[in-house]
Amino acid sequence: MKAVMLYGIKDLRIEEVEVPEVGLGEVLVRVRAATTCGTDLKIFKRGYVSGVIQLPTVFGHEWAGEVVEVGEGVSWPKVGMRVRAGNSAPCLKCKMCQKGDYNLCEDMMWLWGAYAEYIKVPPRMVTVNMQEIPSHLSFEEAALTEPLACVLHGIEKAKVGLGDTVAIIGAGPIGLMHLLCAKKLGASKTIVIDLVDERLEIAEKLGADETINAKETDATEKVHRLTDGYGVDIAIEAVGLPQTWEQALRLVRRGGTVLEFGGCPPGTEIRVSTELLHYGQVKVMGVFHAAPLHFKKALNLIASRTIDVRPLITRKLPLEKISEAFEILLTSKKDIKIAIIP
Ligand SMILES: [Zn+2]
Ligand SMILES: [Zn+2]
């Protein structure tokens, strides 16, 4: 089968490898769509993300496909079933899992290798984080379950609700998914901030009430102007840079919530005013990944089109064009997610 391997910075190669053999409890899936992700792009650009990946490596983690073989002892799923799974499966046994913080599992199982013709799903993941895809739903849409699960986790923690004003920094796929969720939850005003007009236009099409190009406009001042001088109820950072983490702190009203969603480079720090936390009573929270329940919810929301992810898939390319896909994402700002079809 054909599988994409990452050897280093911008060094993706398509290799001919053996189709994995299926053992006890395992499931082999023919990948029908794998979507590009900001994390993949970071790894493509930098060659690593600390602790997560060791080179050379299989690559890609958002996917959906058809079951072609099941190992001994597997009663579900059946061969021919359309499924998605992973990219994580907590152990359900460690201290963190026992506390209900499944996303912080100390023995988390990760699954990479979505940019390939076949992917083998390990037993734990089959049990804990695999779902059947409804027949009306495309594989590309189902592949977006993973990023939406992470966004649902964040937006739940930040408690976005009816009538809230919400500012989102970053109009990439994750920022735009936050926007879609905030709108559905009844946010009264959504403000999206980015540096690229094309991205802000997409945000407007997806229902952003206001957009700000931070290259041209002082975003903090504008957000306060748009909220009668108060700042927003909830500010969400969806970029992953210390500067924008700090910027989010300046957008929020007293008593509001800051959700620092984007993962920053290792070793970075931010400064937070003690007055903001004490007198301003601002809540600042980070959030990492998602729990199995979020994946189930995300797939249901995509399937019912309560969250319509179709506008986020801006291009489809065959597996052979994987390098081109990432080069496009590095240079063109019009593309949000590219569906790779192996
Ligand atoms: Zn992802
Ligand atoms: Zn655990």
Side-chain angles (χ1 to χ4, degrees):
M1 69 161 185
K2 287 188 184 69
V4 170
M5 295 289 291
L6 179 74
Y7 277 86
I9 295 169
K10 296 190 183 180
D11 185 3
L12 283 176
R13 301 179 204 169
I14 296 163
E15 295 187 346
E16 196 62 43
V17 298
E18 294 290 316
V19 175
E21 268 181 43
V22 175
L24 190 69
E26 295 173 338
V27 169
L28 186 69
V29 181
R30 175 74 174 88
V31 179
R32 293 298 179 194
T35 42
T36 59
C37 166
T39 307
D40 296 344
L41 191 62
K42 264 191 222 171
I43 298 170
F44 178 74
K45 214 163 46 175
R46 291 193 210 148
Y48 73 96
V49 159
S50 67
V52 177
I53 223 164
Q54 251 151 26
L55 300 175
T57 178
V58 293
F59 200 44
H61 63 277
E62 300 177 3
W63 60 272
E66 274 163 323
V67 176
V68 288
E69 197 184 337
V70 300
E72 206 185 311
V74 176
S75 56
W76 183 97
K78 303 283 182 212
V79 170
M81 202 180 259
R82 303 165 85 240
V83 297
R84 54 113 3 234
N87 64 331
S88 65
C91 73
L92 312 180
K93 289 182 204 145
C94 73
K95 187 83 176 171
M96 293 300 132
C97 284
Q98 300 266 303
K99 288 274 179 188
D101 288 331
Y102 301 107
N103 57 306
L104 301 180
C105 174
E106 293 172 290
D107 183 26
M108 187 73 98
M109 171 185 279
W110 299 98
L111 183 62
W112 295 85
Y115 302 132
E117 287 180 293
Y118 296 88
I119 191 165
K120 186 170 79 169
V121 185
R124 188 205 284 179
M125 201 160 286
V126 174
T127 315
V128 175
N129 195 358
M130 177 181 261
Q131 295 92 32
E132 184 176 5
I133 304 165
S135 59
H136 72 275
L137 195 66
S138 71
F139 290 114
E140 298 95 88
E141 286 172 85
L144 295 192
T145 299
E146 188 266 343
L148 184 61
C150 300
V151 167
L152 289 181
H153 181 208
I155 216 139
E156 249 176 47
K157 282 256 157 68
K159 297 199 171 77
V160 175
L162 273 176
D164 284 338
T165 50
V166 180
I168 298 162
I169 307 174
I174 291 292
L176 294 172
M177 280 188 178
H178 275 102
L179 169 66
L180 293 173
C181 290
K183 295 290 289 183
K184 276 293 163 189
L185 288 164
S188 62
K189 188 179 274 182
T190 50
I191 307 166
V192 178
I193 303 159
D194 201 283
L195 299 171
V196 180
D197 282 332
E198 286 101 321
R199 284 285 168 93
L200 293 170
E201 278 161 29
I202 299 170
E204 268 164 36
K205 276 193 200 124
L206 294 179
D209 299 292
E210 302 280 349
T211 57
I212 303 171
N213 187 325
K215 234 195 257 172
E216 294 151 10
T217 311
D218 180 337
T220 306
E221 192 264 334
K222 179 97 186 269
V223 165
H224 283 260
R225 192 146 37 90
L226 291 169
T227 50
D228 303 322
Y230 285 93
V232 289
D233 297 310
I234 296 154
I236 299 170
E237 198 275 4
V239 176
L241 289 172
Q243 305 89 285
T244 36
W245 274 46
E246 288 184 355
Q247 186 187 25
L249 301 168
R250 296 190 288 271
L251 303 181
V252 78
R253 69 163 170 85
R254 298 173 77 222
T257 299
V258 176
L259 175 67
E260 306 286 23
F261 190 93
C264 294
T268 49
E269 290 179 357
I270 61 162
R271 279 170 71 93
V272 185
S273 145
T274 53
E275 283 173 60
L276 186 78
L277 299 189
H278 182 73
Y279 300 105
Q281 228 177 285
V282 165
K283 293 176 281 298
V284 183
M285 59 179 68
V287 68
F288 172 67
H289 198 56
L293 182 62
H294 298 116
F295 288 84
K296 280 199 190 86
K297 275 192 201 171
L299 180 61
N300 289 340
L301 291 168
I302 291 171
S304 64
R305 304 254 160 80
T306 307
I307 301 294
D308 188 352
V309 295
R310 285 172 293 183
L312 302 179
I313 303 161
T314 46
R315 204 187 282 254
K316 277 195 217 180
L317 287 174
L319 190 69
E320 292 71 29
K321 299 220 165 140
I322 184 91
S323 296
E324 194 181 311
F326 280 100
E327 289 295 345
I328 290 170
L329 290 171
L330 281 181
T331 49
S332 145
K333 298 294 175 188
K334 279 187 199 137
D335 278 284
I336 303 294
K337 286 252 181 202
I338 299 179
I340 302 293
I341 313 297

